[in-house]
Amino acid sequence: MWSSRITVLFPEEIILQSPQVTVWNHIQDAREDGQFTSKAGVNTELGFVTTLLYGNFQDSKTTKDQTKPAAKERPVGTENQPGAAETHDAVDETEIPKAKDTEFFNPVLNENQQLAVRRILSGDCRPLPYILFGPPGTGKTVTIIEAVLQVHRALADSRILVCAPSNSAADLVCLRLHESKVLRPAAMVRVNATCRFEETILDAIKPYCKDGEDIWKASRFRVIITTCSSAGLFYQIGVRIGHFTHVFVDEAGQASEPECLIPLGLVSDVSGQIVLAGDPMQLGPVIKSRLAMAYGLNVSMLERLMSRPAYLRDENAFGACGAYNPLLVTKLVKNYRSHSALLALPSRLFYHKELEVCADPAVVTSLLGWEKLPKKGFPLIFHGVRGNEAREGRSPSWFNPAEAVQVMRYCCLLARSISSPVSASDIGVITPYRKQVEKIKILLRNVDLVDIKVGSVEEFQGQEFLVIVISTVRSSEDRFEDDRYFLGFLSNSKRFNVAITRPKALLIVLGNPHVLVRDPCFGALLEYSITNGVYTGCNLPPELQALQT
């Protein structure tokens, strides 16, 4: 058992299994006498053609073909588990809309999302984790929802555990499954931690939580939604390895590896299917212990796996299908959130220039005529502010009064614009220091704009706003040599990536260019702003002045 666990956690070779679902014939793997050939053509109904290369990995490990039938396998270790033999008696099956085996519940999935769902259904490399690499705004949760629904429909013996590191992310999955109108409370359950207050639960998902209060009863449902840590409740009632056929972890990049392993320990290490969805280029798990960080617990399982040879980006081997082995990784590239001017920089810095603009033009162009834009038609402002950073008493948290006032000014201009006023709830303010959050909230309260959300980057991950205003705070130009000075945004490119990918239609950045130029990411943003004529405010440092001319 331990050897198979090690294979899943530290994969070095792929053992191909026969597909779990064979009715999805859009993906035809070329086989000869039951054996996989070295190449296989993939065609989808949308005409998306890729070439799948099997066994071509950087560590030159051979790819094996395991052709044991999987459709009727009972997961190992489930004979005496709660609900193992009585799942269908205990659950009143939901009514599922009539659909052909080749139809998607969500008709607007793009080709990469459809391909990911088919690969999850097929499970060619199970139990190796399948990774859905979802950059900002590309619809990874939408894809996970479709995959859960398809597994539930296509595999009658499936038992699905869907997890996320936070209650809000788990609630979102439950809400989206509820909105699909495919699963009802009789087939799906939301398990909460015993310490969670009922008033924090959305009304729409409360019916699914009722049976989740009884863990024995909850274990019999075919679709169970919970947080990664709360999945540990099933161990307490004797549920063990193999009880679940499929485990999905959404926002897996934000879960620490031990946290992620809690639900994964409940799936078969022989035939179970593991799906991790997330973005290794965005913020990882929040780890406060320096010792834990020293031992690598700030690296998620998703990020660590993507550094393994089998999961590495390889344009030579897989250039025709997104540069990753499509049996193990699908990268979503169609961005449905941001204006092209806002997407260009993160696409270049973090995603190999592969992100495609697919957002609603009516939304992302809604502020192109705003009277305060330095350049009409370009929804970005970098406002240079040489303010003074300060701290109060013994508080370690910094604030910058000049930037706080400028944030308030921009919020007022947006909310009270004559040509295109923006609702306060559509504006978000991101800043790395608690004290700056406090100061900005006070100023906004004084001008009746309390509905504007103000918070740290961590509070904004997974969210989107029409307008984002960023206050970087730090402004002491004579202290940048000290590595400890680079806190907040400046210490983490992932934090920068999350911050600048939240807006749909307008991004406003406030900061001292003489300090920010020394950070690679903010330096790139400064250059991008200057060359596009959207820099305003204080004088630039000498090394950037040439760009203005």
Side-chain angles (χ1 to χ4, degrees), residues 18-20 68-75 126 155 157 271:
S18 56
Q20 297 176 106
K68 294 180 181 179
K72 294 186 178 180
E73 286 182 324
R74 180 172 292 280
R126 63 190 187 280
L155 299 170
D157 292 331
S271 60

Side-chain angles (χ1 to χ4, degrees), residues 287-300:
I287 303 296
K288 297 182 179 180
S289 166
R290 292 184 180 181
L291 184 62
M293 291 183 66
Y295 282 92
L297 290 185
N298 57 322
V299 178
S300 67

Side-chain angles (χ1 to χ4, degrees), residues 53 56-59 112 131 133 135 280-281 302-326 328-333 347-355:
L53 305 179
N56 190 0
F57 303 112
Q58 296 194 10
D59 61 352
N112 281 350
I131 292 179
F133 180 179
M281 303 310 297
L302 176 125
E303 183 176 357
R304 184 183 62 77
L305 280 176
M306 291 195 71
S307 68
R308 302 292 299 176
Y311 290 85
L312 285 176
R313 178 184 174 87
D314 187 341
E315 291 188 5
N316 293 327
F318 307 112
C321 43
Y324 293 98
N325 183 345
L328 291 174
V329 181
T330 295
K331 181 180 179 181
L332 305 178
V333 295
S347 181
R348 172 165 63 88
L349 292 179
F350 303 106
Y351 303 107
H352 298 89
K353 300 182 181 179
E354 292 174 342
L355 298 188

Side-chain angles (χ1 to χ4, degrees), residues 387-393 395-402 433 435-436 439 473-476 479:
N388 294 312
E389 57 184 44
R391 289 189 289 193
E392 289 182 341
S395 172
S397 188
W398 296 91
F399 68 98
N400 188 317
Y433 294 97
K435 187 58 70 172
Q436 183 77 342
K439 299 296 185 184
V473 180
R474 301 307 293 268
S475 198
S476 275
R479 297 173 57 192

